[in-house]
Amino acid sequence: MDMLPFDVNTLTALCWALFVIPFACAFTLINFGRKLPRGGDWLATAGIASCAVIAITLFFKVIVGFGAPEWAWSSAAYGLSWDWISLESLQLPVGFYLDNLSVIMLTMVTIVATCIFFFSQGYMHGDRDYPRFFAYLSYFCFAMLGLVVVDNLLFLFIFWELVGVGSYLLIGFYYDQEEPPKASLKAFMVNRVGDVLFLLGIIIAWQLVGTLNYTEMFAVLESGAFADRTGWALAGWDTQTLLTLSGILIFCGAISKSAQVPLHTWLPDAMAGPTPVSALIHAATMVAAGVFMVGRMYPYFTPDALLFITGIGALTALIGATMGLVMWDIKKVLAYSTMSQLGYMMLGLGVGGYVAGLFHLITHAFFKACLFLGSGSVIHSVHSQDMRDMGALKNKMPWTYRTFLVATLALAGVPCFAGYYSKDQIVANALSWGLSHGVAYYVPFVFAVVGAFMTTFYMFRLVFLTFHGTPGDQHKYEHAHESPAVMVLPLVVLAIFGIGAGGTIHPLAEHGNLWFNRLVPEPASAAVAGLEHVGADTSVHGESYETYLEHFEHNLHVAHYPALIVSILAIVLGILLARRMYLTKATDPAAVARKFGPLYGIVCNKYHFDDMYGRKGVVGGLMFMNRAFAWFDKNVVDGIVNFMGLAQRFIAFVTGLFDKYVIDGLVNFWRFFVRALSSILRLVQTGNVRDYLTWTLLGVLILAITLA
């Protein structure tokens, strides 16, 4: 569109500022932090707060000012991009891209991060590496903000990897302890698995469409021009299969980054880092990057790729929720909650609920950051992460309790709180997907409803064990106290967003529609349009894709109220059951656990994923294979080399003997023969003429006698 909130040069400068400011803060703190007053926390906080001001300004100029769903701005369209690589056969320009989704994402990231920076001033006060911590936080925000504003898939991948480096540094912040370095390495290595597949998907995408710029990719894809390139892309693979494969591989990056099954195992271990780090990772940066990437690349995914995304998301939502039921570590309950909610987001995106999945990403960020910072406030007070050491903290920490309860209600999806609006849409979309496809496709809806019940149960279990009942550890309870204002104020701000971020707020809402729904419409599928252009079959259950979408929209209206009723019933049941087991103690949790027998043990052991990947599984198998290869190298390869060496030495020895006793023997024989002969001849070589005449005469006589 032609309308812009600022002139193009100002927009470009603002995009630069959004990620250069935190990078400059990180660079300054890592080099000079210890020389700055208060370790430079004010510099890092001011830096991210200034980014928040820029993002909020853009939000009000674009979202409130224009309110146009189709608004988008690309620096490349105004000649303000630059060539990163410029070769005859390879052109890779890079610039900035803003639309409603990226502006909302920037606003969310910067607001949440600002709250976390303020909270960290109280939580990390007195830490010996205080400046380094804020340097790493600033770097982390630099990578995430850069990821949001770039205009092409390659630079998204570059910032994607920089986000991974930031998580590695922050998870392992306490490098002198045993667990954090292991956790950071685990997170880094698990993410490398998904990122390698992600890179392969990008390579195939490049081969298919010849560009990695978002706008150009979708335009080429929609026109069907990619079909001409598949002959040299991968011989023997048809276009539709290649496109689906590329989409699935790209999504594999999100599987690891957003902790989807089976590459989720790093997420709970990441709790080894400081609690503000957990809040930043789980709410606004690392795991959010995966969902944002899927949203940004949404037009690229074929229906088959979306089916794969749906399956992974549904499975993750359920498995994450079940593991949240049995954890005693307050941060790990929230970690598995994040895993489950990310599954909801992917499920929503997969079933066609583009708006629902991304809306939940935004609302979830606020109340999940509030929950993690609230848990940090509790940990800061009682010096324990085990909920069995807590209890009855409601009166000791009233502000922490109130904000935590608000965030819990939002996460559970209780009506009028932010999570209700976004999660309800995901459940409705899942039900509509089942109605549109058939009985077997109701599984995501069932998983979503069961996950909603479990989410409510484990979150109120956490609330009752932490803030209600009797103290688990009397000594810790007596010393518990409310956190300082610098930690409480961010909780209040995030709790307010936990209430209001999802509702129908004028002027962002119109005719009762949610503001996000109106401003972030679902994009058309460039993949389907392109495949139809080249004559590929894109039908769904025998009907055209366009007809399927019409039926899906109709079914979505039909599914709304049934999904809402079922969700509310699941929420009420979860609250009542948690109250009965952990507040009134009418039911013994241990007795319930025994009834589930081996299944309870499996869930407690996290479905043995770590065992499968650990020394008894994948890692152990790789180590065994390494040892086998080392043995083969030492005993076979080196054995052959050593044998050949010995053989060469033997041949050399035999050759030496032959040379010494045969070749040299013949030479020496002739030498001795000539010397002996010369010695004999020397006897007659006297130099006396009379002797020569005598020998001559003797010779003549011998000849005469011989010939006679």
Side-chain angles (χ1 to χ4, degrees), residues 428 432 435 550-562:
S432 175
L435 291 170
E550 292 176 2
H551 289 166
F552 181 84
E553 287 297 324
H554 171 74
N555 290 331
L556 187 58
H557 290 292
V558 173
H560 178 71
Y561 286 108

Side-chain angles (χ1 to χ4, degrees), residues 436-438 441 539-543 548:
S436 303
H437 286 78
Y441 293 86
S539 62
V540 180
H541 296 291
E543 60 184 16
Y548 161 74

Side-chain angles (χ1 to χ4, degrees), residues 119-368:
F119 183 91
S120 299
Q121 293 182 17
Y123 189 87
M124 298 298 292
H125 179 72
D127 192 282
R128 66 177 185 178
D129 290 319
Y130 191 70
R132 181 166 63 89
F133 179 78
F134 279 92
Y136 288 173
L137 284 185
S138 296
Y139 168 82
F140 207 14
C141 291
F142 143 75
M144 184 63 193
L145 293 172
L147 182 149
V148 174
V149 299
V150 291
D151 69 349
N152 68 85
L153 191 56
L154 178 63
F155 262 76
L156 181 144
F157 182 77
I158 291 172
F159 280 105
W160 182 277
E161 293 301 302
L162 294 176
V163 167
V165 173
S167 69
Y168 173 81
L169 295 172
L170 284 166
I171 294 170
F173 179 76
Y174 297 124
Y175 60 88
D176 53 349
Q177 298 179 14
E178 182 179 0
E179 290 302 320
K182 293 180 180 179
S184 63
L185 182 61
K186 182 177 182 180
F188 194 77
M189 295 307 297
V190 170
N191 273 274
R192 297 289 70 69
V193 176
D195 291 354
V196 168
L197 299 176
F198 186 11
L199 184 58
L200 290 175
I202 293 174
I203 292 171
I204 297 175
W206 168 264
Q207 292 176 324
L208 284 171
V209 298
T211 180
L212 294 177
N213 178 277
Y214 302 135
T215 306
E216 294 174 359
M217 282 183 73
F218 302 148
V220 171
L221 199 60
E222 189 172 1
S223 69
F226 61 87
D228 297 333
R229 304 174 60 86
T230 57
W232 58 268
L234 286 174
W237 290 60
D238 64 88
T239 301
Q240 191 166 3
T241 303
L242 270 175
L243 193 57
T244 299
L245 175 63
S246 176
I248 290 174
L249 289 173
I250 287 173
F251 174 67
C252 285
I255 290 179
S256 58
K257 191 72 77 180
S258 293
Q260 302 292 286
V261 173
L263 299 179
H264 65 280
T265 54
W266 67 269
L267 193 64
D269 291 44
M271 298 303 98
T275 301
V277 173
S278 303
L280 198 57
I281 288 176
H282 287 249
T285 52
M286 187 160 177
V287 298
V291 181
F292 174 78
M293 182 272 288
V294 174
R296 178 58 74 208
M297 292 297 297
Y298 197 74
Y300 186 80
F301 296 111
T302 64
D304 290 336
L306 291 175
L307 177 63
F308 180 81
I309 294 172
T310 301
I312 294 295
L315 193 61
T316 302
L318 185 65
I319 288 179
T322 58
M323 288 190 282
L325 297 173
V326 299
M327 294 292 121
W328 292 106
D329 185 313
I330 187 172
K331 287 175 65 177
K332 288 193 175 181
V333 173
L334 297 177
Y336 283 116
S337 168
T338 299
M339 173 185 164
S340 180
Q341 297 306 306
L342 292 167
Y344 271 100
M345 297 171 204
M346 295 302 186
L347 187 159
L349 290 165
V351 299
Y354 171 85
V355 176
L358 293 175
F359 191 18
H360 197 52
L361 171 66
I362 302 301
T363 60
H364 173 266
F366 292 109
F367 54 73
K368 183 52 63 71

